[in-house]
Amino acid sequence: MKNGVLSDLQVVSDHGEISGSDADATVKARSWDQREAVLGEPKCIICGRYGEYICDETDDDICSLECKQTLLSRVAKSKLQVRPQPAIRLPVADECYYVNDSGNRSCSDSSSDEHTEKLRKKLDICVEGGFLPAPILSFSSLNLHLKLVQNIEAAGYEMPTPVQMQAIPAALSGKSLLVSAETGSGKTASYIIPVIKKCADCRGTPNQSLKKPLAMVLTPTRELCIQVEEQAKLLGKGLPFKTALVVGGDAMAKQLYRIQQGVELIVGTPGRLIDILTKHEIELDDVRILVLDEIDCMLEKGFRDQVLQLFTALSQPQVLMFSATIPEEVKKLASSVTKDVVRISIGMQNRPNQAVKQLVLWVDSKQKKQKLFDILKSDRHFKPPVIVFVSSRLGADLLSNAISTATGIKALSIHGEKTMSERRDIMKSFLVGEVPVLVATGILGRGLDLLSVRQVIVFDIPNSTKEYIHQIGRASRMGAEGAAYVFVNEENKSIFPELIKILKSSGAVIPRELANSPYASGSFPTSQGPRKRKYGR
C-alpha cells in the first residue's frame, strides 16, 4: 500500500491511525487470520471481517493483504472493461479455496475439498453420510435477507458457533441432517435461521391471504417450545414470518385460531398437535421443513409413535434433527425416519459441555438435604440463580419448601403437574432474579437457554447419563463457564460405570468412594455371601 498512506508492514489502530511497522504490527496476510468485526467496527469490503486497514489506492476498509489483492484485481478488471468471463469464485473468508506455494489461488475441487477438511478439523466438525457445503465463518456470507441479518446482530450473535458454521449452510442446501453438539452451543439458531430464510423466500411480500404452514418444530417440553417460538419471533421480526405455539396447558381454540389466520411456522409438542389435527382440519401439505429438537428424547417410546404419526401427515419434508446426545440406536431410528440423512457432530459425541466444572460429592441419602443447605448458605459456593434437579414432582415441592424454611432463601418448584400459567410465572420470577433457587424435575433439563444460570445442583442424579449431561448443561450457554454440584451415593450404582467415564473424559475429580465402589466396573456383586462349609452333622 503506497503513497505514504499505509505500507504492507503498517497497520491502522481502532481510531484509524498508523501504528508503525514493528514485528507486532505485521499486516495480516490472509482474511482467515483476521477476526470478525464487532458492532460499530469497520468491515472489510471483500469478506466482511474486521476492516483493520485502509487500502491506499481506493480508501476502502480491508482486513488483509489477500483482500487488498482481490480488491485491486476487481478495480483493474473494471477499468479494462473486458468482455464478461465465466463466473469465478472470489476468495472471501467464508468460501473454501486453496492458495498454492506461488501465491496463486486454485479453484479445483480437490483443493477446495482439502481446505474444507482442514477447516472442519480445526473447528472439530465431523461430517458423515454425504457432501455438505463448507462451513461459513460469518452470517453475512449466507445471502440472508437484510432484515434477518439485522435481527441476528440485534440478538447479540457476533459470529457463528461451530455448529452454526456447518449446520446453517447445510440446512439451506436442502439436506436432511442429524446434528450432535454439546449443550449451550447454539443449536436452536442453527435451525431457526434456515427456517426463517426459507419461509421468507417462499412468501415474498406479506399479504392478508390465508397461508398454510411451511415449517414445523417439535420439542419434548412446553418450556422449550416457548423458548424456540420466542427466538423465532425475535429473529423473524419484520419479515413475512408468523408463528403459532401449540402446547398443552393453553386453550386449544386460541391455538387453532392462530393457525387458521395463516402462519409460516408451528412450534409445538407432539401430543397437543395431534389433538388439534384429529379434531380439526388443518392442512400440512405445504410443510417443507420438519425440525425435531432433542431428537434422542423425541424417538423414545413416549414420543416415537406421535412423531411418526405427524411425519406421515407431511409430504416428504426436509428433516432437521438436533441433540447434545445421540446414541447409536437413535442414529438408526433417525435414518428410518427419512432417507439420505447427513450426520454432523461437533467435538466429542455424547459428552458434557467442557465449560461446566463438575463437582461430584459422595453424600448419603439422609445427608443430602443438609449438604444442599450448606451449599446454599455458603457465600463461597452459592452462586444464584441456581437450579436444583430432583427426580419427582412431589420431591420438588417438598424440597423447595424445605429450602425456604431452613435457609431463608426464596425457592420455588416447577414440574409437569403445574398449570402452564403457573409455570410461566415461575420461570419469569426466576429469570428476572426474584427467585434465587428453582427446584425442577427434568422438564428444565432439555435445551433451555437459561442465560443467567451458571450453577446447577443435581440433587437426585437421573438414571440415565444422557439426561445427566443435559441437566448439567444448563450451567453454561455459548461457552460461558459454569459449575455443577452432583450428589452421588450407592443408590445410583446402576450408572457408576458410565458416570466414571464421563468424569474422566471431562477431567473431573472422582470421589474415592465412587472410584473404589464394587459397582464402578459394571460388575454387580451378589448379595449372597460365600457359602460356609459345614462340619459334622
Side-chain angles (χ1 to χ4, degrees):
M1 304 179 187
K2 57 183 183 179
N3 297 333
V5 178
L6 186 62
S7 74
D8 286 351
L9 294 180
Q10 292 176 313
V11 298
V12 176
S13 71
D14 291 342
H15 302 290
E17 301 170 347
I18 297 176
S19 61
S21 58
D22 55 89
D24 294 331
T26 302
V27 174
K28 303 289 190 302
R30 298 175 55 189
S31 60
W32 171 251
D33 299 324
Q34 185 60 267
R35 65 176 174 82
E36 293 289 325
V38 300
L39 194 63
E41 286 185 338
K43 294 184 179 181
C44 175
I45 192 173
I46 300 298
C47 70
R49 297 175 79 80
Y50 173 39
E52 188 174 8
Y53 320 114
I54 299 174
C55 179
D56 52 285
E57 296 191 20
T58 66
D59 285 336
D60 289 309
D61 296 316
I62 53 173
C63 73
S64 60
L65 292 176
E66 175 188 340
C67 283
K68 176 200 172 185
Q69 293 170 358
T70 302
L71 175 61
L72 294 181
S73 175
R74 289 184 181 180
V75 172
K77 286 181 180 180
S78 64
K79 288 181 179 179
L80 289 174
Q81 295 183 344
V82 296
R83 293 176 60 188
Q85 299 294 316
I88 60 173
R89 299 176 65 203
L90 295 172
V92 298
D94 303 301
E95 293 181 329
C96 288
Y97 59 93
Y98 175 75
V99 179
N100 59 28
D101 294 337
S102 63
N104 296 320
R105 181 170 53 84
S106 169
C107 292
S108 66
D109 290 339
S110 59
S111 298
S112 296
D113 290 345
E114 179 183 353
H115 185 82
T116 298
E117 289 309 311
K118 286 181 179 179
L119 179 56
R120 285 174 177 158
K121 186 175 182 180
K122 186 172 183 178
L123 296 170
D124 213 4
I125 296 172
C126 178
V127 173
E128 300 176 276
F131 172 80
L132 290 181
I136 53 104
L137 299 178
S138 66
F139 293 109
S140 60
S141 67
L142 289 170
N143 192 29
L144 302 175
H145 297 262
L146 176 59
K147 185 59 180 175
L148 178 53
V149 174
Q150 292 172 344
N151 291 343
I152 290 171
E153 292 178 352
Y157 292 95
E158 294 182 357
M159 66 177 293
T161 63
V163 65
Q164 293 164 357
M165 290 178 181
Q166 184 60 81
I168 293 177
L172 289 173
S173 74
K175 297 281 188 178
S176 288
L177 306 174
L178 177 62
V179 183
S180 171
E182 66 182 13
T183 57
S185 58
K187 293 187 290 295
T188 303
S190 297
Y191 62 77
I192 286 295
I193 291 174
V195 164
I196 293 174
K197 182 184 187 308
K198 290 196 171 190
C199 289
D201 286 347
C202 180
R203 294 303 192 205
T205 56
N207 58 71
Q208 301 300 318
S209 61
L210 181 62
K211 296 176 291 186
K212 299 179 185 177
L214 298 175
M216 184 185 299
V217 176
L218 300 179
T219 86
T221 68
R222 300 173 187 178
E223 280 72 20
L224 185 51
C225 283
I226 292 170
Q227 178 180 279
V228 169
E229 198 221 8
E230 287 177 348
Q231 188 163 1
K233 288 191 293 187
L234 180 67
L235 294 177
K237 185 178 180 181
L239 292 165
F241 181 76
K242 292 184 179 179
T243 65
L245 179 67
V246 180
V247 297
D250 283 342
M252 185 183 294
K254 183 175 66 174
Q255 296 170 356
L256 176 63
Y257 178 78
R258 176 73 175 174
I259 296 173
Q260 290 174 338
Q261 294 306 298
V263 297
E264 281 66 43
L265 171 66
I266 294 176
V267 181
T269 51
R272 170 50 65 93
L273 192 53
I274 287 176
D275 284 346
I276 288 183
L277 291 177
T278 54
K279 297 175 182 177
H280 306 276
E281 186 174 342
I282 297 177
E283 297 183 10
L284 299 177
D285 49 305
D286 281 356
V287 172
R288 303 180 180 186
I289 305 175
L290 172 64
V291 179
L292 301 176
D293 203 355
E294 306 297 339
I295 180 62
D296 55 326
C297 185
M298 299 298 280
L299 291 183
E300 290 178 347
K301 290 183 179 179
F303 287 110
R304 186 187 308 168
D305 292 343
Q306 294 176 334
V307 170
L308 294 178
Q309 183 179 344
L310 289 169
F311 180 74
T312 55
L314 307 179
S315 181
Q316 297 183 333
Q318 175 187 7
V319 184
L320 307 177
M321 298 167 280
F322 288 78
S323 185
T325 50
I326 303 181
E328 286 300 320
E329 58 269 22
V330 171
K331 292 181 182 179
K332 295 177 182 178
L333 283 170
S335 298
S336 67
V337 171
T338 183
K339 296 179 180 179
D340 302 322
V341 176
V342 182
R343 296 185 295 275
I344 300 172
S345 59
I346 314 296
M348 294 180 63
Q349 295 189 48
N350 303 320
R351 288 292 179 262
N353 187 326
Q354 295 301 305
V356 178
K357 182 179 181 181
Q358 299 169 75
L359 304 167
V360 183
L361 307 174
W362 186 273
V363 187
D364 291 337
S365 296
K366 293 181 180 179
Q367 302 300 319
K368 284 167 67 174
K369 279 187 181 180
Q370 187 57 52
K371 176 62 71 174
L372 174 62
F373 299 156
D374 291 342
I375 293 173
L376 298 180
K377 289 189 289 186
S378 168
D379 293 337
R380 178 183 176 187
H381 299 296
F382 179 43
K383 306 295 181 185
V386 173
I387 298 178
V388 180
F389 283 106
V390 296
S391 59
S392 70
R393 298 167 179 176
L394 178 59
D397 291 334
L398 294 176
L399 187 59
S400 63
N401 291 332
I403 290 171
S404 298
T405 301
T407 68
I409 298 171
K410 187 174 182 180
L412 293 176
S413 63
I414 186 167
H415 50 71
E417 284 189 355
K418 292 184 180 290
T419 66
M420 203 62 229
S421 176
E422 288 177 314
R423 286 154 70 169
R424 280 196 176 97
D425 290 342
I426 291 168
M427 287 301 299
K428 181 180 179 181
S429 298
F430 179 67
L431 294 175
V432 300
E434 294 177 359
V435 178
V437 178
L438 188 59
V439 184
T441 57
I443 66 170
L444 294 192
R446 287 276 183 167
L448 291 178
D449 290 324
L450 305 172
L451 298 178
S452 60
V453 175
R454 292 290 175 268
Q455 185 179 71
V456 300
I457 300 174
V458 183
F459 187 85
D460 295 327
I461 194 165
N463 293 326
S464 162
T465 52
K466 179 180 66 175
E467 296 306 317
Y468 168 77
I469 289 171
H470 284 274
Q471 288 185 3
I472 66 172
R474 297 316 102 203
S476 171
R477 311 308 294 173
M478 307 300 285
E481 292 185 355
Y485 286 90
V486 185
F487 295 175
V488 178
N489 57 50
E490 283 209 354
E491 290 183 358
N492 314 119
K493 58 181 178 287
S494 63
I495 67 165
F496 279 4
E498 282 298 317
L499 179 61
I500 290 173
K501 288 181 184 178
I502 289 173
L503 297 176
K504 285 182 177 179
S505 71
S506 304
V509 176
I510 302 174
R512 182 181 66 256
E513 297 89 344
L514 175 57
N516 297 334
S517 170
Y519 305 101
S521 63
S523 58
F524 290 73
T526 60
S527 58
Q528 189 178 17
R531 296 186 65 185
K532 294 182 179 180
R533 184 179 178 183
K534 293 183 180 180
Y535 290 92
R537 294 191 178 182

